[in-house]
């Protein structure tokens, strides 16, 4: 948790967005931030709302306030989640939401292997 707090504290120009259900439970969280003079985002959705248009709803909210967005997306299905299910890459989701894959820009480290995506107004 300390590493997560340190990560968030180091980011600048943060804006948070919450997806809350009718019982006031958080079902999704997204945020935008500034990194190297570019607008970046991250999004996390509860598994029970995935595939129901809620991720697109959050992405569209982020787009309302930005002219461009960048993110890292895992583009393979080699990882296993904590519940032992195979991790499904969300790359198709982002393609459907008008993001372009920047194939030449990757992050490869002990925590993740991902490709950069970009959306422009």
């Amino acid at each position: 948790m300390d590493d997560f707090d340190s990560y968030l504290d180091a980011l600048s120009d943060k804006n948070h967005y919450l997806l809350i259900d009718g019982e006031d439970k958080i079902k999704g969280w997204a945020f935008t931030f500034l990194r190297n003079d570019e607008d970046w985002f991250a999004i996390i959705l509860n598994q029970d709302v995935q595939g129901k248009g809620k991720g697109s709803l959050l992405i569209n909210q982020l787009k309302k306030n930005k002219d461009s967005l960048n993110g890292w997306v895992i583009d393979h299905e080699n990882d296993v989640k904590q519940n032992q299910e195979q991790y499904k890459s969300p790359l198709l989701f982002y393609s459907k939401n008008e993001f372009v894959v920047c194939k030449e820009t990757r992050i490869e480290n002990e925590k993740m292997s991902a490709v950069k995506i970009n959306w422009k107004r």
Side-chain angles (χ1 to χ4, degrees):
M1 202 60 183
D2 289 338
D3 288 343
F4 182 65
D5 287 339
S6 295
Y7 170 75
L8 289 177
D9 288 343
L11 300 175
S12 63
D13 198 24
K14 298 178 289 261
N15 290 296
H16 297 271
Y17 301 77
L18 296 176
L19 177 65
I20 300 173
D21 70 6
E23 298 174 6
D24 289 333
K25 293 184 180 175
I26 296 173
K27 295 294 185 171
W29 169 56
F31 71 104
T32 58
F33 57 96
L34 195 61
R35 175 191 286 151
N36 298 329
D37 296 321
E38 291 183 315
D39 287 308
W40 285 74
F41 79 100
I43 183 171
I44 299 173
L45 285 180
N46 190 305
Q47 188 172 349
D48 66 348
V49 298
Q50 291 178 5
K52 298 181 179 177
K54 303 302 183 185
S56 294
L57 179 78
L58 271 174
I59 289 290
N60 287 332
Q61 280 301 121
L62 303 182
K63 289 178 176 179
K64 285 182 181 180
N65 300 312
K66 302 293 179 186
D67 291 324
S68 176
L69 285 170
N70 298 284
W72 293 117
V73 176
I74 295 172
D75 58 344
H76 57 81
E77 298 186 359
N78 303 328
D79 296 328
V80 177
K81 299 187 286 186
Q82 284 184 335
N83 66 3
Q84 302 308 311
E85 292 179 10
Q86 185 176 14
Y87 179 81
K88 185 176 181 211
S89 170
L91 202 54
L92 182 59
F93 164 79
Y94 289 110
S95 295
K96 288 180 181 178
N97 281 281
E98 304 174 325
F99 283 81
V100 173
V101 177
C102 306
K103 294 178 183 175
E104 69 284 350
T105 308
R106 297 193 60 82
I107 184 169
E108 299 283 349
N109 61 39
E110 65 280 350
K111 293 183 181 179
M112 73 184 311
S113 169
V115 67
K116 183 179 179 181
I117 56 170
N118 174 262
W119 168 82
K120 285 188 171 114
R121 185 170 309 281

